[in-house]
């Protein structure tokens, strides 16, 4: 499984800085978001970013897109889909096999994520999103690229269940889910349990990791990955068990992002190492228990055998 650094973490820094930090801390790749490239010039911008990453020895693992596939304006939907297709083609040209984003937002109150997105969506919004992703799935498949649908506040897929519903409507193997528990925690109580990821089994293509503390109807992201309300050991190991190929870590809080993101990389590696160590210890203990039971059974049989005198 690859460990990816989300460039949003360093949104106040140039892209060169992102790659240098990723190289310093041994990250496998970077997710490139629009803070670090101009979507209107996506072809040249992604090519330049990929070339810069090669100089630092760090790949662009994923390119971000933003969409408006669900709004009422058909011209805006068409323009948004056309730009997403250009992003897919630009990624493919550089050998980048994943783009990630969301289908647009429906918003009633920006300070209360619980009343936006899926809470406002009707069948027409899901159908528009599904229609858009069917088109993008077909286009991406021809280019050897997958399209990530991120669990994102304000979107029709702002929960795991909403994302699973949308993917079932799309029904295309090139369209996969990007789980993000930090985005969904305040939206849905069901999204506080890592077992919810099982709804995405076979379709979990990417995973965003951060942590939070609830702040009314919003999330406060001014916490380290190992802090906050999410048990990220449970989320990381659950996602890994479902075969997710990469975990992308982001720090969305204020202040200096360097210390929390450095600790985050070590934390993810430690979680996976702990999982493996515990599995070995469980296997060893279970083998010892089985051997002990066999030994006890044999001793009991011998004690009760005819002619034993006892």
């Amino acid at each position: 499984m690859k460990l990816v650094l989300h460039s949003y973490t360093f949104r106040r820094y140039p892209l060169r800085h992102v790659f240098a930090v990723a190289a310093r801390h041994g990250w496998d790749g970077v997710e490139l978001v629009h803070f670090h490239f101009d979507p209107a010039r996506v072809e040249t911008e992604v090519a330049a970013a990929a070339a810069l990453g090669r100089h630092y020895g760090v790949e662009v693992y994923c390119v971000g897109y933003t969409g408006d596939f669900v709004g009422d304006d058909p011209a805006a939907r068409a323009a948004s889909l056309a730009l997403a297709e250009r992003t897919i083609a630009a990624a493919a040209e550089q050998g980048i096999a994943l783009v990630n984003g969301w289908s647009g937002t429906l918003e009633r109150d920006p300070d209360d994520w619980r009343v936006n997105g899926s809470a406002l969506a009707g069948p027409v919004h899901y159908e528009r999103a599904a229609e858009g992703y069917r088109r993008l799935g077909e286009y991406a498949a021809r280019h050897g690229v997958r399209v990530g649908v991120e669990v994102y506040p304000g979107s029709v897929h702002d929960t795991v269940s909403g994302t699973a519903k949308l993917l079932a409507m799309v029904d295309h193997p090139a369209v996969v889910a990007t789980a993000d528990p930090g985005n969904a925690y305040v939206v849905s109580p069901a999204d506080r349990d890592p077992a919810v990821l099982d709804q995405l089994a076979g379709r979990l293509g990417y995973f965003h990791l951060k942590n939070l503390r609830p702040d009314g109807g919003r999330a406060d992201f001014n916490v380290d990955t190992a802090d906050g309300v999410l048990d990220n050991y449970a989320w990381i190991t659950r996602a890994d068990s479902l075969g997710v190929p990469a975990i992308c870590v982001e720090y969305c809080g204020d202040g200096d992002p360097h210390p929390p993101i450095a600790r985050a990389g070590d934390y993810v590696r430690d979680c996976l190492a702990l999982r493996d160590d515990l599995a070995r210890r469980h296997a060893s203990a279970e083998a010892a228990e089985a051997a002990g039971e066999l030994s006890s059974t044999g001793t009991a049989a011998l004690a009760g055998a005819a002619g034993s005198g006892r």
Side-chain angles (χ1 to χ4, degrees):
M1 182 178 64
K2 291 190 174 184
L3 192 58
V4 178
L5 175 61
H6 203 301
S7 82
Y8 180 78
T9 300
F10 295 100
R11 54 201 174 274
R12 294 180 291 273
Y13 291 81
L15 184 58
R16 184 178 294 275
H17 188 91
V18 180
F19 284 121
V21 171
R24 171 179 170 79
H25 293 293
W27 297 78
D28 298 308
V30 163
E31 177 172 345
L32 183 68
V33 296
H34 65 276
F35 284 83
H36 288 112
F37 74 97
D38 180 359
R41 299 190 298 129
V42 65
E43 294 83 1
T44 56
E45 296 278 275
V46 170
L52 185 61
R54 287 192 289 270
H55 294 320
Y56 285 91
V58 179
E59 69 173 353
V60 176
Y61 181 82
C62 172
V63 179
Y65 68 87
T66 55
D68 179 15
F69 315 156
V70 298
D72 293 333
D73 184 350
R77 297 200 302 270
S80 182
L81 286 164
L83 181 55
E85 288 179 335
R86 287 175 56 196
T87 304
I88 291 166
E93 185 68 23
Q94 302 304 318
I96 302 165
L98 178 68
V99 298
N100 180 67
W102 52 94
S103 61
T105 56
L106 302 170
E107 190 172 85
R108 174 185 295 155
D109 181 353
D111 292 321
D112 191 346
W113 297 354
R114 298 166 296 187
V115 301
N116 301 325
S118 59
L120 295 177
V124 66
H125 300 108
Y126 279 99
E127 189 49 55
R128 287 171 182 168
E131 181 181 1
Y133 278 118
R134 289 186 203 107
R135 170 176 160 178
L136 294 183
E138 289 294 328
Y139 188 82
R142 294 197 297 272
H143 288 77
V145 173
R146 293 172 303 141
V147 179
V149 181
E150 182 177 340
V151 176
Y152 191 80
S155 69
V156 300
H157 42 88
D158 55 4
T159 65
V160 165
S161 63
T163 307
K165 172 183 175 178
L166 178 59
L167 291 185
M169 294 173 68
V170 175
D171 192 25
H172 196 290
V175 181
V176 297
T178 298
D180 191 324
N183 282 347
Y185 184 93
V186 300
V187 178
S188 162
D191 285 77
R192 300 171 189 178
D193 182 355
V196 75
L197 291 179
D198 293 354
Q199 295 181 44
L200 301 174
R203 298 177 293 185
L204 183 60
Y206 198 38
F207 191 91
H208 277 182
L209 187 74
K210 51 183 176 277
N211 218 319
L212 75 143
R213 296 191 189 282
D215 182 15
R218 295 177 60 92
D220 176 3
F221 292 125
N222 289 292
V223 293
D224 277 15
T225 311
D227 300 325
V229 296
L230 291 173
D231 178 357
N232 274 331
Y233 172 83
W235 285 100
I236 291 166
T237 54
R238 192 80 173 212
D240 189 56
S241 73
L242 291 170
V244 72
I247 286 182
C248 177
V249 183
E250 56 183 328
Y251 176 69
C252 298
D254 302 321
D256 182 357
H258 298 87
I261 208 64
R263 291 190 290 266
D266 290 338
Y267 172 72
V268 176
R269 296 182 187 99
D270 287 347
C271 283
L272 294 171
L274 174 61
R275 186 272 316 273
D276 293 343
D277 180 71
L278 294 180
R280 287 191 293 270
R281 292 176 186 274
H282 292 322
S284 177
E286 289 164 4
E289 289 169 356
E293 289 172 2
L294 288 173
S295 176
S296 297
T297 301
T299 301
L302 181 62
S308 66
R310 296 183 184 180

